[in-house]
Amino acid sequence: LLGCDTMDIENLSFSFGLQTVFDDVTIHISSSDHIGIVGVNGAGKSTFFHLLLGDLEPDYGRIFIPNHLRLAYLPQVLKDEISNMNISVFDYVSTGRPIKELESKLSKIYEESASKDEQTSKKLLKEASKIQERLDYYNPYHAEEEMLDILMGMNLFDLMDKELSNLSGGEKSKVAFARLLYSKPEIILLDEPTNHLDNESKEFVMNFLKKYHGLILIISHDLPFLNEVTNKTLFLDKMTHKMELFSGSYEVFQKRKQEKRLANERLLVKQEKEEEKLKKIIAKYIRGNEKKARIAKDRQKKLARLEEEKVVLEKKYKEAKFQMKIKTKGDYYPLKVEHLTFGYQKDNILFEDFSLEMMRGQRYLVLGENGVGKSTFLKLLMGYLTPFSGTITFGKDVSVAYYAQEHELLDENKTIIEQFSDITKDISFLRGVLGRFLFFGDDIYKKVAILSPGERSRVALAKLALQEANFLLLDEPTNHLDPDTEEIVAKTFLEYPGTMLVVSHNPDFVSHLNIEKMIYLPSGKIIDYDENIVRAYQLLDENPDLKI
């Protein structure tokens, strides 16, 4: 071991069935490193986190994390138990530091030591000293002030008295992030942490993490964020199943990787020339006299060494490919919403007397601040929620396909292939479809529960494509996608011939969709598409004074 402040990964091997993820990986990570974790889809980024968390066991090797280093994890998708808590934001975040518990323990130990003999009392006071050290680490006299700074920095101050169960998905994720930062863990694991952050919150988080005295491991497709926060980059190589730790941010890593590739290409050309030369000598001398035969054998040994050391260039990985077809055109007016009123509580109406009529082929964007009911509106259209009043009517021959933001429609206990049993049981056909979404071989027998959010997104998109629906309801479809896949998805939806209603604050994605109108919630006002407004929401999601 390199020391008590080091995370040591030694000879780590891990597989899902016959599919190798990591093979004999050894790396040593300092407790002060800020590391960006990168690699293509399926390289094992989320799997690596679950191994660190102890959710998965290595097949071989070990992961050593010193006991005194506490580990905290922010997943891409929050667990249901957090979402349904009937506790205020303030109370939930404040539980991040166990100050009251430590103070109570300290008080009990001092009381107990007063009535004990000298030897027992010394032991108790030694224990008290350790607890006091931990308590001091949490800075109890200024803890609430630090918590309020975090809540204000992340634009959560106005939500302090709200119950978690009444928040939107994006707000819950921000609150969970705020609690993690407040809890001061020695090791932070972040999986796509900027998905639900507005620009102001993101700026605060970047500055906070840059100054953070602890180990941070980040999986993110937000390259500017990685470049700002990280000082090292851990590359997970899907082809070799190894990991390599580079000094420097993602931008530095990319330059070094490119330089290494060019050097390898030059070396490969040199090796291939040498290989050709050795083969010619061997072919010429192998059947000659004794002297020539010795030369040939010597060259055979050199050729064997060369082949063993020969450079293998990094493989270019396949990209997802799919089409969105429709079976029938459907009604000329596929959707009519009349006088819709809904709220989760009678005294907290999200939208009131809202009406909408869409024509076939139209594309509408649903826009609004966090918590105004964008996802709720789509769930109402799907019939998952019942309005207080008003009607929702889909036209004749209108088939609806819904992409849920957090993949709620996927059954975690079923394999990838089982997710499609309601569509078709033709395994050969499904293999072809799933191959276009980068699921090959035994991948299709993986349970959804072990998939990364990016992989779940691809499963959800595959289901969406196979339904051949003429009306799409899309709730933040790019949240968990890497930039390359996001671009492919945008092009595919651009060519889609049906009607579309999209929730998204991703202007780069939305700008490729030919959106005609925008529905601004909670007012229900419908306006012409304006990219500047979408970009404004990306920057000022939580600014109530935004004018449109």
Side-chain angles (χ1 to χ4, degrees), residues 1 141 180 312 416 519:
L1 300 180
Y141 299 110
L180 181 148
V312 178
I416 292 174
I519 304 169

Side-chain angles (χ1 to χ4, degrees), residues 122-187:
K122 277 184 179 179
K123 285 182 180 177
L124 288 170
L125 290 173
K126 191 175 181 181
E127 186 183 343
S129 176
K130 289 180 182 177
I131 293 172
Q132 184 64 55
E133 189 179 343
R134 174 55 65 182
L135 189 58
D136 292 342
Y137 175 76
Y138 288 123
N139 198 7
Y141 299 110
H142 298 283
E144 188 169 301
E145 182 185 334
E146 290 177 13
M147 183 177 76
L148 292 175
D149 285 344
I150 291 169
L151 290 171
M152 290 181 74
M154 295 185 72
N155 285 327
L156 293 169
F157 192 77
D158 293 339
L159 300 179
M160 282 199 306
D161 297 326
K162 267 194 169 186
E163 287 194 354
L164 282 178
S165 56
N166 292 331
L167 301 183
S168 70
E171 288 170 335
K172 286 169 188 168
S173 292
K174 284 180 73 175
V175 169
F177 199 174
R179 184 181 182 276
L180 181 148
L181 297 180
Y182 173 66
S183 69
K184 286 185 74 173
E186 284 81 7
I187 303 173

Side-chain angles (χ1 to χ4, degrees), residues 263-372:
N264 280 341
E265 285 174 353
R266 288 193 294 268
L267 180 56
L268 182 60
V269 170
K270 187 178 176 183
Q271 286 176 332
E272 284 174 344
K273 284 180 179 176
E274 180 66 15
E275 185 179 32
E276 190 179 342
K277 181 181 171 184
L278 290 170
K279 283 178 179 177
K280 282 180 180 178
I281 293 171
I282 293 166
K284 185 176 179 181
Y285 290 172
I286 194 69
R287 302 191 190 282
N289 59 34
E290 189 179 338
K291 185 180 178 183
K292 288 183 177 180
R294 279 202 306 272
I295 292 171
K297 283 182 182 179
D298 177 68
R299 298 306 185 269
Q300 281 177 326
K301 288 178 184 176
K302 286 185 177 178
L303 180 61
R305 281 199 302 273
L306 180 63
E307 286 173 345
E308 197 176 312
E309 296 166 1
K310 194 171 178 182
V311 168
V312 178
L313 294 181
E314 189 179 339
K315 183 179 173 184
K316 182 168 172 54
Y317 290 97
K318 294 180 179 179
E319 296 176 333
K321 288 188 262 184
F322 69 107
Q323 290 180 305
M324 297 294 301
K325 299 177 182 177
I326 60 174
K327 287 180 182 175
T328 59
K329 288 184 177 180
D331 203 325
Y332 188 73
Y333 289 102
L335 175 64
K336 288 184 182 179
V337 178
E338 298 179 289
H339 309 295
L340 186 71
T341 298
F342 179 80
Y344 286 102
Q345 295 173 340
K346 293 285 184 182
D347 58 350
N348 183 21
I349 301 297
L350 283 175
F351 26 83
E352 188 172 12
D353 198 30
F354 170 62
S355 295
L356 166 71
E357 185 173 66
M358 289 185 73
M359 289 188 292
R360 187 172 63 213
Q362 284 190 316
R363 293 157 179 251
Y364 278 32
L365 176 67
V366 183
L367 207 58
E369 298 166 25
N370 285 334
V372 299

Side-chain angles (χ1 to χ4, degrees), residues 367 457 531:
L367 207 58
S457 294
E531 185 178 334

